[in-house]
Amino acid sequence: MGAPDVQEVPAVTTTPRAVRGKSRPAAQPDPAHPLLPAGEQIRLLDPAGTPLSAHPDYPEPPVEALVELYRRMVIGRRFDLQATALTKQGRLAVYPSARGQEACQVGAVLALRDDDWVFPTYRESMALTARGIDPVEVLTLLRGDWHCGYDPVLRRSAPQCTPLATQCVHAAGLAYGEAYQGRETVALTFIGDGATSEGDFHEGVNFAAVFKAPVVYFVQNNRYAISVPLSRQTAAPSLAYKGVGYGVPSEQVDGNDPVAVLAVLTRAVAHARAGHGPFLVEAHTYRMEPHTNADDATRYRDADEVAVWQDRDPVARLETYLRARRALDDTIVARVAGQAEEYAADLRERMHDKPTVDPMTLFDHVYAEPTPQLAEQREQVRAELTADQEGAA
Ligand SMILES: Cc1ncc(C[n+]2csc(CCOP(=O)(O)OP(=O)(O)O)c2C)c(N)n1
Ligand SMILES: [Mg+2]
């Protein structure tokens, strides 16, 4: 088969889906999927990129989708490296890297339709850029300029959440509301291993289960919550078992196997869209970088452990597989690398522009009607700024 050409990242389309009234049929359990996850991680490629036998429940995605997955993972990794470099140049306040988690970040985006919703955490800048959102808009939060640089409604992407697990509740509410209005929207929420210990995770999953809200809870188990290892987080055999108690079908997947991640998430999204309620996926992965640029990971993990995961690199794994299938060749690999360099250069260039931020906007959007205390504080800041300006004149 000839190597398919790479496509451009499509802009997120925001055409609202037809409202079908409130006549959506009552959700039925998905008879095809048990509550318990498989005893082993779902894996379709071995760590070297050699295909394993086909899985009856998780068919391999079409090769064109895998080439696009590869392309966005390569660009995503380059974006991530660039963002880390920007912290060193003082252009970004902080950056939580997702290097090593590319299969999860991009696989989740490709499993969704453009009019589905994502609920990201601070770790998901790569997923948001893979969705086609301008990287400068994505980095607005981490630059410290404003709470969110993109329009969440237009982009069908919630602002990145720093308070752990709160997005799990938001996703349940949005998905429930969408289903209530007869729309087929699915909400996918990212969550880390550590954050599955938070009450909001459990409340969100339980609400979604009881009210059959079409949410995919996507746990990226990267084995650490800052310095706290998984062994101090849970005694469960897999985080995917956390769905069972709430009646939510769950699965565990090798999060560094891009083919398996896309296959499992595609099924999870289809389950939610069909009206069967939420689905929980745990992806076993690893963050190759420290928690953020402000963290020193050598204080809590050793180089041997990192080296083991280096050998499971998701980008190299997919490249090996697609080359063997003759879906990638040197020309396409070079072209994708060129696109990634252009992407990074453009980001670098535009991040050099100094933002102009009005300190008075600090008080906007806190309450619909500002409280007397807030109004007083706002006037105090205004007076100080005016005095500064007069002093400088
Ligand atoms: C409610 C709350 N408690 C604590 C923190 C501080 N905190 C920020 S990130 C983090 C670790 C989260 O780990 P995990 O859920 O595994 O996600 P990861 O950072 O590994 O992607 C903690 C404890 C927070 N942001 N919010
Ligand atoms: Mg973690």
Side-chain angles (χ1 to χ4, degrees):
M1 159 185 174
D5 202 357
V6 290
Q7 307 149 19
E8 291 307 309
V9 175
V12 176
T13 54
T14 54
T15 321
R17 295 193 51 72
V19 176
R20 297 189 309 179
K22 293 173 188 166
S23 58
R24 205 167 196 230
Q28 299 296 323
D30 181 354
H33 202 288
L35 290 183
L36 278 171
E40 299 287 328
Q41 301 168 31
I42 302 298
R43 185 172 285 148
L44 299 178
L45 298 182
D46 78 3
T50 309
L52 301 167
S53 45
H55 194 291
D57 295 335
Y58 300 105
E60 186 176 316
V63 71
E64 295 76 16
L66 297 178
V67 172
E68 184 56 14
L69 178 61
Y70 168 78
R71 193 182 81 90
R72 293 197 208 187
M73 283 170 62
V74 169
I75 296 175
R77 174 167 293 184
R78 187 64 190 86
F79 159 78
D80 194 84
L81 283 175
Q82 187 57 57
T84 299
L86 287 166
T87 62
K88 295 178 181 156
Q89 295 160 4
R91 298 289 178 197
L92 267 188
V94 67
Y95 183 70
S97 168
R99 191 164 71 81
Q101 300 180 212
E102 291 86 353
C104 297
Q105 298 271 321
V106 183
V109 166
L110 288 190
L112 294 169
R113 293 198 312 220
D114 289 344
D115 57 349
D116 288 330
W117 271 78
V118 296
F119 286 78
T121 78
Y122 49 86
R123 178 101 35 226
E124 270 73 59
S125 299
M126 190 192 292
L128 292 167
T129 55
R131 260 209 133 182
I133 304 179
D134 182 339
V136 174
E137 290 183 9
V138 171
L139 293 176
T140 301
L141 169 75
L142 298 169
R143 204 180 193 186
D145 291 354
W146 190 237
H147 307 301
C148 181
Y150 50 89
D151 180 337
V153 176
L154 197 67
R155 295 303 189 168
R156 315 284 277 184
S157 305
Q160 288 174 274
C161 257
T162 298
L164 298 179
T166 49
Q167 74 280 3
C168 296
V169 186
H170 305 159
L174 179 125
Y176 175 72
E178 288 285 290
Y180 183 75
Q181 293 181 68
R183 291 193 281 260
E184 290 183 340
T185 315
V186 171
L188 181 145
T189 179
F190 293 90
I191 175 153
D193 45 295
T196 65
S197 299
E198 287 283 340
D200 278 349
F201 166 74
H202 295 269
E203 288 159 29
V205 173
N206 189 53
F207 180 96
V210 169
F211 292 98
K212 294 281 180 237
V215 187
V216 174
Y217 287 95
F218 184 36
V219 182
Q220 285 174 96
N221 172 4
N222 62 11
R223 310 197 72 79
Y224 288 91
I226 313 183
S227 57
V228 178
L230 186 67
S231 58
R232 301 303 298 272
Q233 200 67 246
T234 184
S238 152
L239 295 171
Y241 281 75
K242 294 199 180 191
V244 178
Y246 300 108
V248 175
S250 306
E251 193 54 278
Q252 52 173 332
V253 61
D254 180 339
N256 284 27
D257 174 350
V259 181
V261 169
L262 186 56
V264 170
L265 285 176
T266 298
R267 171 126 196 240
V269 170
H271 167 100
R273 198 174 324 276
H276 299 306
F279 197 104
L280 192 153
V281 175
E282 177 196 19
H284 297 265
T285 185
Y286 197 77
R287 82 170 141 69
M288 299 304 292
E289 298 287 335
H291 175 70
T292 68
N293 54 298
D295 174 41
D296 175 4
T298 62
R299 293 179 63 186
Y300 54 85
R301 63 185 198 186
D302 58 37
D304 292 349
E305 179 183 302
V306 180
V308 168
W309 285 89
Q310 188 66 53
D311 289 341
R312 301 173 186 167
D313 179 56
V315 178
R317 197 162 168 178
L318 185 56
E319 183 180 328
T320 303
Y321 175 59
L322 291 175
R323 278 182 182 270
R325 281 197 65 178
R326 301 195 187 291
L328 277 188
D329 57 19
D330 287 348
T331 312
I332 299 177
V333 168
R335 190 182 322 150
V336 171
Q339 289 176 358
E341 281 312 316
E342 273 174 36
Y343 192 91
D346 173 64
L347 173 62
R348 235 176 7 247
E349 187 63 32
R350 290 192 294 136
M351 289 294 283
H352 282 314
D353 294 340
K354 239 184 159 182
T356 45
V357 183
D358 178 1
M360 295 308 295
T361 57
L362 194 65
F363 300 94
D364 294 345
H365 313 298
V366 182
Y367 298 103
E369 296 291 333
T371 60
Q373 291 86 349
L374 198 68
E376 193 183 318
Q377 288 166 20
R378 184 168 57 193
E379 283 322 301
Q380 206 177 336
V381 172
R382 192 195 302 282
E384 282 176 19
L385 290 171
T386 311
D388 279 355
Q389 278 160 8
E390 285 169 1

